[in-house]
Amino acid sequence: MVPSPTAPAACLLHFDDERAAAQRLAQASGLPALEIARHRFPDGELKLTLPVDASGHLPERAVLLRSLHQPNDKLIELLLAARAARGLGVQHLTLVAPYLAYMRQDIAFHPGEAVSQRIVGPFLASLFDAVVTVDPHLHRVATLHEAVPAAQTVVLSGAPLLADWIVQQRPGALLVGPDGESAQWVAQAAARHGLDHAVCTKERHGDRSVTIQLPPVDVQGRAVVLLDDMASTGHTLAQATRLLLQAGAASVDVAVTHALIDDGALAALHAAGVGQFWSTDCVTHPSNAVEMAGELARGVGEVVVSNYQEID
């Protein structure tokens, strides 16, 4: 298929529930935003209609925005949209997934468990030439490419922009990571503004049972901000908050890249003593305080620059 001469060189595809995020990314990247229409049949099946031009085609290059919180229906959407886009003229397809689902489980802890990362990662790589994401939740895997073996992967971080927000709200704050896994993001954020930082140790006993030990740092009278890549149940953050306040912290706030936390869990965090709860807009949430569109556009730019000659 040959794209129409009037068609844009590339486009940004999105769904109606992420229209606002797509508009921000379109403005930052210069790509025209085109919306994929969805229809759900009574039996739950989906029908997608892609926004083709007058000749029934899409540009040779396309970027599909889909943040993968509450991921199950969205994975089917990606399958349908990506395969359809290929048939409509797209030669290079990039997934921008500000939150990337199913990355947490990278080994089987019990016989018979499906290792979701090893299944979903290759599935996404089979659909997309490139994947751009923010702070993927990886444990025993060193790089995103190991989990999602696409031709190109771009990893961005929300930590630096969260640090910019934190220094405006809590000048001179002490940054604390609630566990060892948070150390990389805490270090990034602290280095950006020369903030003091430390990391707690955590022992997990189950999904909702953890034991936290504070780092050997004096928090007396300090404004402390707990920084992590995500908040879901909030149990680790709540326990760390109680310990910090007991140790004399003047205040404890929380900043995360991905706010996966529901109203009940957020209320429990505030009950534990958390003052403010801030997040990036990688996952739409009332706590969103930091926009990632500029960083996402930069990630898309890396993909475009590295593959431009190949497509032309």
Side-chain angles (χ1 to χ4, degrees), residues 12-148:
L12 173 64
L13 301 172
H14 66 94
F15 294 92
D16 61 308
D17 59 326
E18 290 187 307
R19 187 177 298 139
Q23 290 171 349
R24 293 192 294 271
L25 180 54
Q27 183 175 11
S29 65
L31 295 174
L34 304 176
E35 191 165 299
I36 300 172
R38 291 181 294 178
H39 173 76
R40 187 178 293 276
F41 293 102
D43 64 355
E45 289 188 7
L46 287 168
K47 179 179 75 172
L48 303 185
T49 303
L50 277 65
V52 295
D53 63 14
S55 67
H57 300 107
L58 287 169
E60 290 184 345
R61 302 187 64 94
V63 175
L64 176 54
L65 172 67
R66 203 60 171 141
S67 196
L68 293 176
H69 53 291
Q70 301 297 317
N72 296 342
D73 280 356
K74 293 177 181 179
L75 291 175
I76 296 297
E77 291 171 354
L78 293 185
L79 172 63
L80 298 176
R83 295 296 189 216
R86 300 289 189 184
L88 295 168
V90 174
Q91 295 183 31
H92 189 279
L93 185 59
T94 298
L95 172 65
V96 174
Y99 174 69
L100 192 59
Y102 284 114
M103 292 295 104
R104 287 186 249 191
Q105 187 166 8
D106 53 13
I107 63 170
F109 294 97
H110 303 285
E113 283 185 345
V115 182
S116 58
Q117 185 190 99
R118 297 179 188 171
I119 298 168
V120 174
F123 168 72
L124 293 175
S126 73
L127 298 177
F128 298 95
D129 301 289
V131 175
V132 178
T133 192
V134 182
D135 292 336
H137 198 75
L138 306 175
H139 291 292
R140 285 157 287 268
V141 172
T143 67
L144 179 62
H145 187 264
E146 294 177 59
V148 185

Side-chain angles (χ1 to χ4, degrees), residues 217-288:
V217 60
D218 184 10
V219 302
Q220 184 70 39
R222 299 290 302 270
V224 177
V225 177
L226 286 164
L227 180 70
D228 207 353
D229 67 318
M230 68 167 62
S232 51
T233 65
H235 290 290
T236 299
L237 292 168
Q239 188 173 153
T241 296
R242 285 190 286 267
L243 291 174
L244 287 164
L245 292 173
Q246 290 169 12
S251 63
V252 178
D253 303 298
V254 171
V256 298
T257 301
H258 306 297
L260 305 176
I261 193 166
D262 62 22
D263 290 346
L266 186 57
L269 269 185
H270 289 306
V274 169
Q276 298 296 314
F277 183 95
W278 304 303
S279 65
T280 75
D281 62 357
C282 288
V283 175
T284 301
H285 192 270
S287 65
N288 290 167

